[in-house]
Amino acid sequence: MTPLRRQLRQTLTIARRDFTATVFTPIFLLFLFAPVIMASFGAIGGLGAASATQGSVDKARLVVMLPPDAGEAVRDADARLRPLFPGEARPPALDHRAPGPTPRAALHDRNVDVAAVLHGSLSTPAIVYAAGHRREARYLAAVARAAALGAQAHAVPPEAVLERVDDAAPSLGGRSTASFFAVFGIFFLTLFLSGQVVGTMAEERNNKVIEILAAAVPLESVFLGKLLGMYGVAVLFVAFWGTVLSQIGMLLPGDMAGALQDLRPAIGIVPFAILFAAYFTTAYLLLGSVFLGVGAQASTMREVQMLSLPITILQVGMFGLASSAVSHPGSWLATAAELFPLSSPFAMAGQAAGSPRWWPHVAALAWQLLWVAIFITIGARLFRRGVLQSGSAMPAWRRMFTRRRS
């Protein structure tokens, strides 16, 4: 055999070895179908966000509080002007109500999303609108001007007085958008930060450090300690960028800053900040405990890299499930997302932005911390029996049954 032929044969042998070690594994199937799986989860999340936005748009209204004769003129003017706007740019529907002493109260309606209220008369029109809805208020002013021009053709139509109300209650659209951003915020942070936990155990397993730690302290303490250490790194990262991003609002124009104010959570800004931090903590601990247990089974960096794809797919799946849940509050899908341990922090963070109730969050946090303990215990036992080969091969229930028989 010539040297060239021998070298070619050796090269092909190495290539076949690496190809077989990579392809003939169950994880490779997940890698092969990753585009389909991720596209499906992305479609679920996109449909959930679109459903939340569409639901809030359908409930948006422009309220008209004028006498009956002026209301008819406004209705005719709206019928003439509305076709000029294409689909998504079309203003909300008009809602005619009896004139009242406090038109501002209509902005606090929790059944519909009231963007602006026209009150007074066609000779002295006035409009109050919620922050972030100046465009709708201007349309309502144009409708009032057109109605006055039709009713009094010989007179110059007056300009409506616009008044912005900054203390209006969070709108339905604002709550829906805030819910989606809460889910996305936790998803982005956990996707970016929790993946670092996977390689921690594999690296120390290769260096034989884990065996020294396991001989000194219980494995459950090792797993929890590593998880808390990486969580401290994540908190430092979030605190730094949170401080930077919190100052962006000072640089935004007035109208854009007003639109951001409409994204207030239903439970309140300070309680929501506390719950968001709590749910980020439980989401990180839940996903980190799962990833730590999975990464502990990997013996090489190649296996760690192969495991990173299923982990990402799992996180995208939890994001898609929670996004769909916040767009259908109270449905069976929302209940399933809130009860499933890995998606519960995402879904409950969205619920905090959309609902003012407190008691579900206390139960949810206790439920999530329970599963953190379960995942850490399972991961430590699997590592002890599968890697260290120091656990009993007989399950605990069989050992108890054997003792009773003896």
Side-chain angles (χ1 to χ4, degrees):
M1 182 180 297
T2 61
L4 179 61
R5 186 177 178 183
R6 182 183 300 108
Q7 186 176 4
L8 180 61
R9 183 175 181 180
Q10 292 171 348
T11 302
L12 293 177
T13 301
I14 298 298
R16 184 177 66 252
R17 174 182 175 274
D18 286 359
F19 178 82
T20 304
T22 303
V23 172
F24 292 96
T25 57
I27 298 177
F28 183 76
L29 294 177
L30 293 175
F31 176 79
L32 190 63
F33 292 100
V36 177
I37 298 174
M38 296 188 71
S40 301
F41 287 142
I44 293 174
L47 289 175
S51 177
T53 304
Q54 185 62 37
S56 61
V57 170
D58 292 340
K59 293 183 179 180
R61 292 292 185 272
L62 296 175
V63 173
V64 177
M65 291 184 173
L66 296 176
D69 54 345
E72 287 294 332
V74 168
R75 187 178 290 106
D76 295 338
D78 175 67
R80 295 194 305 269
L81 295 179
R82 186 172 294 272
L84 300 178
F85 296 87
E88 294 184 357
R90 185 160 297 179
L94 296 186
D95 185 0
H96 292 265
R97 301 182 184 179
T102 55
R104 284 174 173 240
L107 296 176
H108 296 78
D109 193 338
R110 293 189 175 273
N111 297 322
V112 293
D113 189 359
V114 178
V117 180
L118 172 63
H119 62 98
S121 63
L122 292 181
S123 59
T124 57
I127 297 174
V128 293
Y129 65 96
H133 293 282
R134 186 172 180 82
R135 184 175 65 89
E136 290 82 355
R138 287 177 175 175
Y139 172 77
L140 204 54
V143 170
R145 185 179 178 86
L149 182 61
Q152 302 173 2
H154 60 281
V156 178
E159 291 288 343
V161 178
L162 302 183
E163 180 186 0
R164 190 177 75 176
V165 179
D166 293 327
D167 59 347
S171 62
L172 294 175
R175 292 199 299 268
S176 299
T177 307
S179 298
F180 178 76
F181 276 123
V183 174
F184 179 78
I186 293 183
F187 162 72
F188 176 78
L189 292 175
T190 53
L191 178 67
F192 189 76
L193 298 171
S194 62
Q196 301 174 358
V197 181
V198 182
T200 302
M201 190 67 75
E203 181 180 355
E204 294 195 350
R205 177 180 170 184
N206 291 334
N207 298 335
K208 305 299 182 181
V209 176
I210 189 64
E211 297 180 1
I212 300 176
L213 294 176
V217 296
L219 268 179
E220 290 79 4
S221 299
V222 175
F223 273 60
L224 182 59
K226 287 184 171 297
L227 194 57
L228 293 178
M230 296 303 296
Y231 172 71
V233 176
V235 169
L236 183 62
F237 175 89
V238 173
F240 173 77
W241 282 107
T243 304
V244 173
L245 295 178
S246 64
Q247 306 303 317
I248 292 182
M250 301 175 59
L251 306 177
L252 297 177
D255 290 343
M256 188 175 296
L260 290 179
Q261 291 179 1
D262 191 45
L263 301 182
R264 289 175 296 171
I267 203 169
I269 295 179
V270 175
F272 176 75
I274 297 174
L275 288 175
F276 186 87
Y279 285 128
F280 166 69
T281 301
T282 54
Y284 188 92
L285 294 179
L286 281 166
L287 293 171
S289 60
V290 173
F291 300 161
L292 197 63
V294 172
Q297 306 301 316
S299 57
T300 62
M301 291 306 298
R302 173 185 293 179
E303 293 182 3
V304 171
Q305 293 174 354
M306 293 293 290
L307 287 171
S308 62
L309 180 62
I311 288 171
T312 304
I313 292 175
L314 176 64
Q315 290 175 299
V316 174
M318 297 302 99
F319 169 67
L321 179 60
S323 299
S324 300
V326 296
S327 62
H328 301 87
S331 63
W332 67 268
L333 182 64
T335 303
E338 293 164 3
L339 291 178
F340 187 68
L342 296 180
S343 63
S344 181
F346 301 86
M348 293 306 297
Q351 186 185 120
S355 173
R357 296 182 302 170
W358 262 101
W359 69 266
H361 302 289
V362 178
L365 289 172
W367 171 254
Q368 294 158 21
L369 291 175
L370 173 64
W371 278 97
V372 170
I374 293 174
F375 287 151
I376 290 177
T377 302
I378 294 175
R381 290 186 178 181
L382 290 176
F383 185 79
R384 183 182 293 114
R385 294 182 180 181
V387 179
L388 299 182
Q389 301 292 330
S390 61
S392 173
M394 184 180 298
W397 65 272
R398 291 192 60 184
R399 294 199 303 269
M400 293 178 60
F401 184 72
T402 303
R403 289 171 187 165
R404 289 181 180 180
R405 292 187 58 183
S406 60

